[in-house]
Amino acid sequence: AGSGKFFVGGNWKCNGTKDSISKLVSDLNSAKLEADVDVVVAPPFVYLDQVKNSLTDRIEISAQNSWIGKGGAFTGEISVEQLKDTGCNWVILGHSERRHVIGEDDQFIGKKAAYALSQGLKVIACIGELLQEREAGKTFDVCFQQMKAFADAVPSWDDVVVAYEPVWAIGTGKVATPQQAQEVHIAVRDWLKKNVSAEVASKTRIIYGGSVNGSNCSELAKQEDIDGFLVGGASLKVYFYCWA
Ligand code: PEP
């Protein structure tokens, strides 16, 4: 792990019911979490209020997406203002499922990040390459291009955590090796140093996501530039957070 406070984010994606979420929240409330770790969970929008009203304040709450600007006539969208109103203080932006299933592009995501930050929401900014991009030797190009779209839009990196999530590792059970992850994390940090500032490069937490679980997380966490995890599947079970 790097120098920043270790960060564990649980992305519940489009999973859960009132009952299963109530069980997970009560497990989280009684879990023994490490003191020096930021823990954030991202429930589906419809359960944000339920989670906010029942979860310990020790754990922060994130949304999984937000609208690009102020709310209004945007059917089906959820605004940053509404998220703040429910007690969310984070939002995940640029998740691969939004990029590749829903079709959000780099600029759109960058603008969303800028708007969320401008309203005081912290951002988990996701980047990562597809399998064919990795195989074509384009991993760094893709990640740097996604980083540039964030950098072009955001005025400050103070409230941003970068999540490197190789798309081939998300939900596939095929976790990146600690070396594969570290290689990209250090490259992204170096990109921040060259393109933003040395201070931002050293302060910004770069977390890894993609099939992280209780058995593979310790080796990953030992890597110099891995400052935490964004976890999907394993985040629906409480034991993962306890490791952290
Ligand atoms: C994610 O969705 O951010 C993720 C990393 O999923 P999983 O842990 O299931 O691969």
Side-chain angles (χ1 to χ4, degrees), residues 9-13 92 95-97 126 163-167 169-174 208-213 229-235:
N11 175 12
W12 298 355
K13 309 196 192 197
I92 299 172
H95 190 277
S96 75
E97 287 146 21
C126 303
Y164 168 57
E165 302 205 295
V167 183
I170 298 183
T172 56
K174 205 171 177 289
Y208 168 80
S211 297
V212 176
N213 60 34
F229 300 121
L230 184 57
V231 186
S235 76

Side-chain angles (χ1 to χ4, degrees), residues 68-100:
I68 195 169
K70 197 167 155 45
F74 304 105
T75 303
E77 291 295 333
I78 311 282
S79 72
V80 170
E81 292 79 4
Q82 290 169 326
L83 295 175
K84 289 195 63 199
D85 191 36
T86 63
C88 254
N89 41 7
W90 289 88
V91 61
I92 299 172
L93 293 172
H95 190 277
S96 75
E97 287 146 21
R98 302 234 37 110
R99 290 179 187 272
H100 300 294

Side-chain angles (χ1 to χ4, degrees), residues 93-199:
L93 293 172
H95 190 277
S96 75
E97 287 146 21
R98 302 234 37 110
R99 290 179 187 272
H100 300 294
V101 182
I102 316 291
E104 294 188 11
D105 68 24
D106 291 352
Q107 280 65 37
F108 189 65
I109 295 161
K111 282 188 192 149
K112 284 186 175 192
Y115 187 73
L117 291 170
S118 78
Q119 300 306 304
L121 214 52
K122 296 184 262 191
V123 171
I124 300 168
C126 303
I127 60 167
E129 81 288 357
L130 295 162
L131 181 60
Q132 61 264 37
E133 292 167 336
R134 172 163 283 262
E135 287 173 349
K138 291 186 181 152
T139 297
F140 291 165
D141 291 350
V142 170
C143 290
F144 295 167
Q145 188 184 317
Q146 293 170 344
M147 285 297 291
K148 183 173 186 315
F150 282 118
D152 286 348
V154 305
S156 156
W157 288 78
D158 286 351
D159 292 325
V160 180
V161 167
V162 174
Y164 168 57
E165 302 205 295
V167 183
W168 47 271
I170 298 183
T172 56
K174 205 171 177 289
V175 63
T177 64
Q179 294 68 30
Q180 281 174 321
Q182 167 62 19
E183 182 181 72
V184 178
H185 282 232
I186 197 169
V188 168
R189 203 176 297 288
D190 196 49
W191 187 92
L192 280 170
K193 190 171 174 187
K194 289 193 183 118
N195 295 279
V196 183
S197 73
E199 197 198 356

